[in-house]
Amino acid sequence: MSERNTSLDERVALVTGGARGIGRAIAFRLAEAGAKVGIVDLAETGAETAREIEQATGRTATFVRADISKEAEARSAVAEVESVLGPVDILVNNAGITRDGLVLVMDETDWDAVLSVNLKGAFIMSKAVLRGMIKRRRGSIINISSVVGRRGNAGQVNYSAAKAGLIGLTKSLAREVGSRNVRVNAVAPGYIETEMTAALPEPARKALIDQIPLGRIGTPDAVADAVAFLAADTASFITGAVLAVDGGLGI
Ligand code: NAP
């Protein structure tokens, strides 16, 4: 693969939920590929993550604290990132929450919170960057969905509905803005090594791994690599796609 195709030099990327977990790995990976990176997150540790990215990669990184499910806050966060780094070329809608429970005991507030952050947040953030992308005839939006958005999962009607909704949003928006050279894709991770999976007792961990054709839990870096591929010119003819990064779990 040529260096030109994978390079994100001179691009500006905004990663929501980039303070920790998968978003942090994505922010690092995009900076390693040459992008300037803005992290928009509720967690104040995003400032530390931005500093670590600058030290490790030599690329500029900045942090803005905002709740991406609130339109006014999200818009001013985008404006702040753009005032420091320049116009956003790459948006990664990664921020997400879970409020799991079987449907009969799930509160309306659990439904609303998950739909609001995971689905409405992506709509709000996409809208906030799109005018500029359309004007410049350049942009890439990547939505972090999940294998459960495709297969469903008991105890997660809110989360799986939001993640399935993100796939619908991805495909509709890809149709809307394709003629302006703005690409919109989704990545659907399976089980990824996080604090939650690391804390699982061994039998539960084994039961989980037994379902995965590749026989292992994925890493945040594997998700980040897929995002970097979709963000770069390597994926210049790919839009409306849902790229599974799940070791075959969703087959
Ligand atoms: P995580 O470790 O919980 O990190 C999510 C980050 O998003 C946190 O820093 C969180 O801040 C932030 N956030 C939450 N609500 C926000 C809001 N309203 N506005 C701004 N930032 C907000 O999550 P993760 O496990 O890395 O997952 C990242 C994404 O991948 C999510 O969309 C998730 O659904 C998806 N995914 C994860 C897995 C997995 O196995 N982990 C599998 C499939 C898909 P706070 O800490 O302050 O809440």
Side-chain angles (χ1 to χ4, degrees), residues 17-247:
R20 63 190 179 99
I22 293 171
R24 182 180 193 277
I26 292 169
F28 258 90
R29 180 71 190 83
L30 298 180
E32 281 163 6
K36 295 184 269 184
V37 177
I39 292 172
V40 175
D41 202 303
L42 272 179
E44 295 285 2
T45 52
E48 202 181 311
T49 305
R51 268 196 305 277
E52 286 169 8
I53 289 173
E54 289 197 330
Q55 276 164 13
T57 68
R59 302 290 168 174
T60 312
T62 191
F63 166 67
V64 180
R65 187 185 182 281
D67 181 343
I68 53 104
S69 66
K70 306 221 164 79
E71 185 156 27
E73 257 184 62
R75 280 191 173 280
S76 71
V78 169
E80 205 175 323
V81 166
E82 293 196 326
S83 73
V84 179
L85 302 180
V88 171
D89 301 298
I90 299 157
L91 168 67
V92 185
N93 285 313
N94 163 83
I97 59 167
T98 52
R99 297 281 187 277
D100 297 350
L102 296 175
V103 73
L104 291 180
V105 295
M106 185 179 285
D107 291 339
E108 190 182 342
T109 51
D110 296 330
W111 174 272
D112 286 345
V114 168
L115 270 288
S116 179
V117 176
N118 297 34
L119 185 55
K120 192 175 79 176
F123 159 71
I124 287 172
M125 288 298 294
S126 300
K127 223 178 133 185
V129 300
L130 262 171
R131 200 176 296 278
M133 286 181 174
I134 287 169
K135 227 185 255 167
R136 294 187 300 280
R137 296 282 194 274
R138 176 167 103 167
S140 173
I141 296 176
I142 297 146
N143 296 316
I144 307 301
S145 178
S146 166
V147 66
V148 310
R150 296 153 62 115
R151 301 203 330 163
N153 197 21
Q156 290 195 310
V157 292
N158 51 359
Y159 182 76
S160 57
K163 293 300 188 182
L166 268 181
I167 292 175
L169 183 157
T170 298
K171 292 181 179 180
S172 297
L173 192 55
R175 287 183 185 274
E176 265 188 49
V177 298
S179 65
R180 304 297 194 269
N181 195 35
V182 177
R183 297 182 298 105
V184 188
N185 292 290
V187 170
Y191 295 125
I192 302 300
E193 201 71 72
T194 58
E195 285 158 31
M196 188 190 78
T197 45
L200 282 176
E202 200 43 46
R205 196 179 164 84
K206 187 178 175 306
L208 203 138
I209 288 171
D210 283 347
Q211 302 171 49
I212 306 170
L214 283 182
R216 60 179 190 269
I217 293 174
T219 61
D221 283 340
V223 180
D225 283 339
V227 171
F229 162 69
L230 289 170
D233 293 344
T234 35
S236 63
F237 201 50
I238 300 178
T239 197
V242 182
L243 182 51
V245 182
D246 63 2

